[in-house]
Amino acid sequence: MDISYIINEYAEERNDYFRAVTPPIVQTSNFAFSTVDALRKSFEDEYGTWLYSRGLNPTVDILRKKLAALDGAEDCLVFNSGAAAIFAAVLANVKSGDHIVSVRNPYTWAKKMFDEILVRFNVSVTYIDGTDIANFVAATKENTTVYYLESPNSWTYELQDLQAVATLAKQHNIVTICDNSYCTPLYQRPIAFGIDLVLQSATKYIGGHSDVVAGVLCGSKQMLTKIFNSEYLNIGSGIQPFNAWLLIRGLRTLPLRLEKVTETTGKVLGWLQAHPRIEKVIFPFDENFPQYALAKSQMQGACGLLTFIITAKKIETIEAFCNALKHILMAVSWGGHESLIIPRCAGIKREQFMAAAPEHRMLRLYCGLENAAYIIADLEKGFAAIETME
Ligand SMILES: *Cc1c(COP(=O)(O)O)cnc(C)c1O
């Protein structure tokens, strides 16, 4: 299916709603039936009928179909957050006594789920450097049921060879789950490499306007039916119709926004690389990136997030740089219209700062929809503020 068709027309039955160009927000909690038999059928197989909006809803279904098509997946479920999508995908594939192999430093709340929740139910996890397939082989045990991937991750952009990991997993009957938030299905389709479940935080690029929190999970019809009938309905964290409508609206401009962000990121990257206060810039489509060849082979694009390491002897220098920015906002998240920055040192106590540790001097920049020159001019303010500081 053509991406333009998926985004602009697919799954929109306009004759069902007054030929309106924009789909309605079907803001209802429940749906009425005209016969007992029809109600009974819905009870017997809720996945496939509109019964109650904790389950399915017409506005949400339009979004589900579009997102599944973009990922090249049979089916899709949309959650009220990316974290909920992660939770449901993992929970559905482990039982007490099972073991998970995860890339090290996965998204914060994936790690918290592994370390603080799943351990209470006797599910263990081994964290590995996912850049080398040999580490997956070495960490796999008899009771391993899940490989948890994030490619690239959102701070240092390590990748996994998705095809190699999927092939290995199939040999051992292991379910592969991949967080694809960085790329979106426009820049990477993990299912085409044999990955079983692909998820993303729709809060980022799909929403695109920093006004909705949501998560997407795509995979086979069989797997998603199982998840719908259990974790999805039980956790009750499905997306609400209005937020689904905002995501449909976000999708309309997704290709355009990614194109613009890609162009801007390239310009900002080049400018940062030439700056004397920059020790290193980390970006997957930079020729010096250690996994550049793999990135080029499995991703159609890279944009938005980049990480740079600033030269600084003291934490005050990094703080002064960030505090001097006037337009780039200091905030978590990314994928919206606005450029954002987070210094790594905000995550540690001031007295823990070590200038010798490059990771303490890392700053993650998200390039939004502003013009490159506007973002660069703001970064210049930051550098000007630390000109006399070491
Ligand atoms: C933001 C994010 C998530 C979680 O998504 P929420 O919508 O915030 O719950 C998961 N993975 C990555 C890589 C993210 O950046």
Side-chain angles (χ1 to χ4, degrees), residues 7-76:
I7 284 174
N8 293 294
E9 292 156 82
Y10 177 57
E12 295 181 68
E13 306 296 337
R14 294 185 172 120
N15 286 328
D16 293 352
Y17 41 81
F18 321 108
R19 289 170 285 105
V21 168
T22 300
I25 304 165
V26 184
Q27 190 71 22
T28 185
S29 57
N30 47 1
F31 298 85
F33 294 82
S34 42
T35 65
V36 175
D37 199 44
L39 179 60
R40 181 180 298 118
K41 281 206 174 74
S42 185
F43 283 150
E44 281 168 5
D45 180 20
E46 183 170 348
Y47 203 46
T49 55
W50 292 316
L51 170 73
Y52 186 57
S53 286
R54 173 150 43 81
L56 300 182
N57 169 285
T59 309
V60 176
D61 281 356
I62 293 171
L63 176 66
R64 288 177 52 222
K65 286 183 184 149
K66 286 180 186 288
L67 290 169
L70 286 177
D71 255 318
E74 283 175 15
D75 205 352
C76 168

Side-chain angles (χ1 to χ4, degrees), residues 86-101 113-114 117-119 121-125 143-148 174-175 177 197 223 226 231:
I86 294 172
F87 199 79
V90 174
L91 201 61
N93 289 292
V94 291
K95 60 180 188 317
S96 176
D98 284 350
H99 172 249
I100 296 167
V101 175
M113 170 189 62
F114 293 140
I117 299 180
L118 294 185
V119 287
F121 300 94
N122 192 28
V123 174
S124 57
V125 59
N143 57 340
T144 305
T145 58
V146 169
Y147 284 165
Y148 188 82
I174 290 167
V175 173
I177 303 172
L197 285 168
M223 175 71 84
K226 174 177 118 111
E231 289 78 14

Side-chain angles (χ1 to χ4, degrees), residues 79-86 106-110 148 150 152-154 179-182 199-204 212-216 305 333-334 364:
F79 295 78
N80 219 15
S81 71
I86 294 172
Y107 179 68
T108 319
W109 292 94
Y148 188 82
E150 187 178 326
N153 73 31
S154 64
D179 185 333
N180 195 35
S181 300
Y182 180 93
L199 62 92
Q200 61 177 318
S201 166
T203 313
K204 313 294 163 54
V212 55
V213 174
V216 184
L305 292 179
S333 198
W334 45 278
R364 190 187 73 179

Side-chain angles (χ1 to χ4, degrees), residues 179-220:
D179 185 333
N180 195 35
S181 300
Y182 180 93
C183 280
T184 84
L186 263 56
Y187 283 172
Q188 180 169 266
R189 287 174 200 85
I191 286 177
F193 295 112
I195 297 297
D196 297 309
L197 285 168
V198 53
L199 62 92
Q200 61 177 318
S201 166
T203 313
K204 313 294 163 54
Y205 285 123
I206 307 288
H209 294 75
S210 302
D211 52 12
V212 55
V213 174
V216 184
L217 179 65
C218 288
S220 71

